[in-house]
Amino acid sequence: GQNIDQPTEMTATEGAIVQINCTYQTSGFNGLFWYQQHAGEAPTFLSYNVLDGLEEKGRFSSFLSRSKGYSYLLLKELQMKDSASYLCAVSPSNYQLIWGAGTKLIIKP
Amino acid sequence: EAGVAQSPRYKIIEKRQSVAFWCNPISGHATLYWYQQILGQGPKLLIQFQNNGVVDDSQLPKDRFSAERLKGVDSTLKIQPAKLEDSAVYLCASSLGSGHTDTQYFGPGTRLTVL
């Protein structure tokens, strides 16, 4: 079957760094997305990785290792507004997208 | 650029009643998606349209759910009759291209409560 695993919940401190992991087992691989979803709001796009390595975008970076079926989202200089759920989604083929259940990130002052 | 529009934002109905949701995607986006998101879970794809044709409706409970996308633009999703387990947020998303490697842009969602 196809499966995506993320931690259910994480807690971090304002100003710190947090890494949210995502592991996947899918029949194929066409890319991996990270979306941010604030409570009661719609998901918004953060990043897309299709090749191995680190993609940096401001305070957020996303890493992919296709051989290990692993990705992480790195958030630096955490701000209170970063409190949200972070969804990992994998495209096994061009006609499919599998979503993880999301990681709820709680930022404490 | 206007985003994905959805209405209503909230709906409360009793079980066995019917309900309809509307979505207007970003102008020019070929692909439209309807998702069901239960609290604490990731989005579950119900149906995907490319223009006005259905690409994937494998997870749509067709005995009670129906969807259409007329003229390849707006879309409606209907539930008839509703069950308690249909309580969820229904998200509409659109993407410029036809593949799942395209970024999806989501609307604000409709929160449905079935009593």
Side-chain angles (χ1 to χ4, degrees), chain B residues 12-90:
Chain B
I12 301 174
I13 61 173
E14 303 211 338
K15 60 182 178 183
R16 291 188 289 273
Q17 286 187 323
S18 62
V19 64
F21 312 128
W22 173 82
C23 173
N24 179 241
I26 293 173
S27 178
H29 278 198
T31 307
L32 185 147
Y33 312 80
W34 282 104
Y35 288 94
Q36 179 192 60
Q37 188 175 27
I38 294 172
L39 189 65
Q41 299 183 17
K44 171 189 169 184
L45 179 69
L46 293 175
I47 190 166
Q48 176 188 348
F49 293 95
Q50 183 180 339
N51 297 311
N52 60 350
V54 176
V55 173
D56 183 355
D57 62 356
S58 57
Q59 297 192 91
L60 187 73
K62 297 180 185 65
D63 57 334
R64 299 184 301 106
F65 286 63
S66 64
E68 60 181 4
R69 189 183 186 194
L70 300 176
K71 301 180 182 178
V73 183
D74 292 6
S75 178
T76 55
L77 176 71
K78 296 179 182 177
I79 307 175
Q80 181 180 15
K83 293 185 175 181
L84 295 177
E85 59 260 36
D86 298 332
S87 292
V89 175
Y90 290 85

Side-chain angles (χ1 to χ4, degrees), chain A residues 20-92:
Chain A
I20 302 173
N21 296 326
C22 169
T23 57
Y24 62 90
Q25 294 172 312
T26 55
S27 55
F29 185 81
N30 237 29
L32 184 145
F33 290 87
W34 284 97
Y35 280 79
Q36 180 190 57
Q37 187 174 27
H38 285 102
E41 298 182 13
T44 56
F45 170 78
L46 286 178
S47 67
Y48 171 67
N49 293 68
V50 66
L51 299 176
D52 289 351
L54 187 68
E55 298 265 350
E56 297 186 72
K57 197 184 291 186
R59 294 189 298 114
F60 291 13
S61 302
S62 55
F63 171 83
L64 174 67
S65 169
R66 288 172 297 171
S67 63
K68 294 182 180 178
Y70 169 68
S71 172
Y72 68 71
L73 182 69
L74 192 71
L75 290 73
K76 302 176 185 176
E77 301 169 16
L78 286 169
Q79 301 175 10
M80 297 304 292
K81 67 179 182 179
D82 298 329
S83 291
S85 287
Y86 291 85
L87 298 163
C88 173
V90 174
S91 176

